């Protein structure tokens, strides 16, 4: 298992330097196929209910199949809590974070690229001086340039404003290539787009687990979307990550708020911080 640990350490170092990494073989072939089969079943049910699986403002044609609200289903709730994924999330965002969204994008033959963007630029204004969002991308098929691998601009994690976007960004795009069962971890400052699938018969199926710093409003209001049955089945940790507890955005208060008498002492104030932490914990208990 030593090589696995080394892979994680290498991945963390790449994240710091370049804003992305690929971790292979996070789930095995049977598990990967089971998730892919479930994804197509969920996509079919969504279509039968009349839900959109093609959004014209995102994709040039219907060869991209989008599936939303994956956390309604147990197999995807398990995946978004995978220990390797959470390890990488905490190494980038810290111990406190929110699950903002979990969606799928299947690029079928004939699909084309969406617009160039960074995930953080969609939820926060510039300047982007620190990482406050990230995605863990689950590869349910082999992913390579010809079947529509996600394309990214190397070095774009250093851009802080829209004015920094390179005029030749389109010509500098490179693919994230990975085998089925791998994850691509990408922080929210990396500029990227979906690739075009130019194959005749090969799908490219990806799941996008989107995590953010706890002060950012989530893309999905899980209180409204998840059924009462699902919400009652969640662990206290999942409740917190989905923002379903009573308390909200106590992060900096827990870390820094102190009694005035203790605030300027060399040591002290921990009692009030502990009180805030206890309150946050109790608000997520049943």
């Amino acid at each position: 298992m030593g090589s696995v640990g080394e892979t994680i350490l290498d991945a963390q170092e790449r994240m710091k330097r370049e804003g992305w990494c690929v971790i292979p073989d996070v789930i095995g072939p049977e598990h990967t196929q089971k998730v892919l089969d479930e994804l197509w079943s969920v996509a079919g049910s969504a279509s039968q209910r009349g839900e959109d699986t093609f959004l014209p403002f995102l994709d040039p044609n219907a060869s991209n199949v989008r599936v939303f609200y994956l956390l309604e289903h147990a197999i995807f709730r398990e995946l978004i809590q995978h220990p390797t994924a959470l390890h990488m999330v905490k190494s980038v965002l810290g111990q406190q974070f929110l699950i903002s969204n979990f969606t799928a994008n299947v690029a079928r033959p004939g699909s084309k690229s969406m617009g160039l963007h960074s995930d953080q630029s969609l939820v926060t204004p510039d300047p982007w001086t620190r990482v406050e969002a990230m995605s863990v991308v689950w590869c349910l098929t082999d992913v390579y340039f010809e079947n529509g691998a996600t394309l990214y601009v190397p070095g774009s994690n250093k851009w802080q404003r829209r004015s920094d976007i390179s005029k030749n960004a389109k010509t500098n795009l490179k693919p994230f290539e990975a085998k089925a069962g791998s994850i691509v971890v990408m922080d929210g400052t990396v500029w990227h787009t979906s690739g075009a699938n130019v194959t005749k018969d090969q799908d490219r199926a990806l799941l996008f687990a989107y995590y953010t710093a706890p002060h950012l409003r989530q893309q999905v209001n899980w209180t409204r979307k998840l059924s009462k049955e699902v919400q009652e089945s969640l662990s206290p940790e999942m409740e917190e990550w989905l923002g379903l507890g009573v308390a909200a955005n106590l992060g900096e208060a827990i870390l820094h708020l102190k009694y005035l008498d203790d605030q300027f002492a060399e040591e002290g104030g921990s009692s009030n911080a502990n009180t805030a932490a206890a309150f946050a914990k109790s608000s997520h208990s049943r």
Side-chain angles (χ1 to χ4, degrees), residues 5 9 46 66 68 90 112 120 127 132 185 222-223 260 268-269 271:
L9 291 175
R66 302 270 181 174
F68 302 95
K90 292 176 181 179
K112 297 181 179 180
Q120 191 160 316
E132 298 182 313
V185 185
W222 298 113
T223 305
L260 182 61
S271 59

Side-chain angles (χ1 to χ4, degrees), residues 259-275:
Y259 295 124
L260 182 61
D261 289 342
D262 296 334
Q263 194 166 7
F264 297 98
E266 290 184 2
E267 295 182 10
S270 60
S271 59
N272 205 36
N274 290 337
T275 300

